[in-house]
Amino acid sequence: MESFHESHAKPRSGLVGRALGSLPDAALAAWFVALWISPLAFGPAAVRTGLVVMLVEFVLVHASAMLGAIVLSERVPRATRLTGLGAMAALYLVFIAAFVAEAGSWWPLAVFAWLLLAKAALAMGRPGPDLRHRLQSAWAVAVMTYLVGVAATVMLPVPRLGLTPAVVAELGLSGSGLWSTRPQTVIAFGAFYFAVQAATRLFDLRLPAHTLPGLGSPRA
């Protein structure tokens, strides 16, 4: 049986483009790691920002399915796809507005734009079977990674690193949920989630086509 990597890794010739496409996710993974080690280095609100990033990403994982429906038609020109992407972004801004109201600041909008950039980079290829495979696999991997990350950080002991009880007390996190009382869980989750997304894009790792809906056989 073909492996996830051996059957679906792209040639080295596209490495530069894939590296650029993976940059938003890689930057976020590095930021979460740095935040985990030194949470106050980015200001007292940085950990709260990390929590909102993961909530916004949950919205955008859902948005990715709609993005795929917009861009996969071979008859739709790129300009129309970009227009559809803009319309989708406007729709999801309604959800992000709730985060803005909660935070009392504009920065969730910047978070949303940065995360949407990572999703949009996936949609800029030529419509056809290859793009369909890439988008459907990326969405499936994102969903699985999100679910695995949530479960793992809930069930497994996550080291505090820089998020000691004294530091957490300074953060002023509201609520009584796990992400507020043990913020190392959401920070570790973010580091894991975005590292997986960056690696998937950089190496163009894909799930076998026959495991995805609407794709009958693996790529040639």
Side-chain angles (χ1 to χ4, degrees):
M1 185 175 180
E2 295 174 319
S3 68
F4 179 84
H5 180 274
E6 293 173 350
S7 300
H8 304 293
K10 294 288 280 184
R12 290 180 180 273
S13 60
L15 180 60
V16 173
R18 300 197 306 271
L20 291 174
S22 69
L23 181 60
D25 289 312
L28 278 167
W31 180 74
F32 271 102
V33 170
L35 189 60
W36 194 3
I37 295 170
S38 183
L40 294 177
F42 302 94
V47 172
R48 188 192 304 273
T49 301
L51 190 155
V52 172
V53 166
M54 298 316 296
L55 293 175
V56 171
E57 180 63 16
F58 177 80
V59 173
L60 286 178
V61 167
H62 177 268
S64 296
M66 295 185 63
L67 173 62
I70 291 171
V71 304
L72 287 176
S73 174
E74 296 187 26
R75 296 185 177 88
V76 177
R78 177 169 295 190
T80 303
R81 284 186 279 151
L82 289 174
T83 301
L85 178 62
M88 187 195 71
L91 173 64
Y92 279 90
L93 276 175
V94 175
F95 294 96
I96 304 306
F99 297 131
V100 172
E102 174 67 21
S105 179
W106 60 268
W107 55 258
L109 293 175
V111 169
F112 175 72
W114 184 255
L115 293 175
L116 188 63
L117 174 64
K119 304 293 182 291
L122 286 171
M124 291 300 102
R126 182 182 298 275
D130 186 74
L131 180 61
R132 181 182 298 275
H133 186 190
R134 187 202 316 161
L135 288 177
Q136 290 192 8
S137 179
W139 179 80
V141 169
V143 170
M144 290 188 293
T145 306
Y146 203 99
L147 294 175
V148 169
V150 169
T153 53
V154 167
M155 296 186 296
L156 300 177
V158 179
R160 287 184 174 273
L161 298 187
L163 286 162
T164 63
V167 170
V168 173
E170 294 183 43
L171 300 178
L173 299 176
S174 59
S176 57
L178 181 67
W179 286 3
S180 295
T181 58
R182 296 175 55 203
Q184 71 270 21
T185 57
V186 68
I187 300 305
F189 171 34
F192 164 74
Y193 176 85
F194 286 109
V196 171
Q197 304 313 304
T200 300
R201 287 161 173 72
L202 177 61
F203 300 107
D204 197 16
L205 302 177
R206 307 188 191 186
L207 296 172
H210 66 274
T211 66
L212 300 168
L215 300 177
S217 60
R219 292 178 303 168

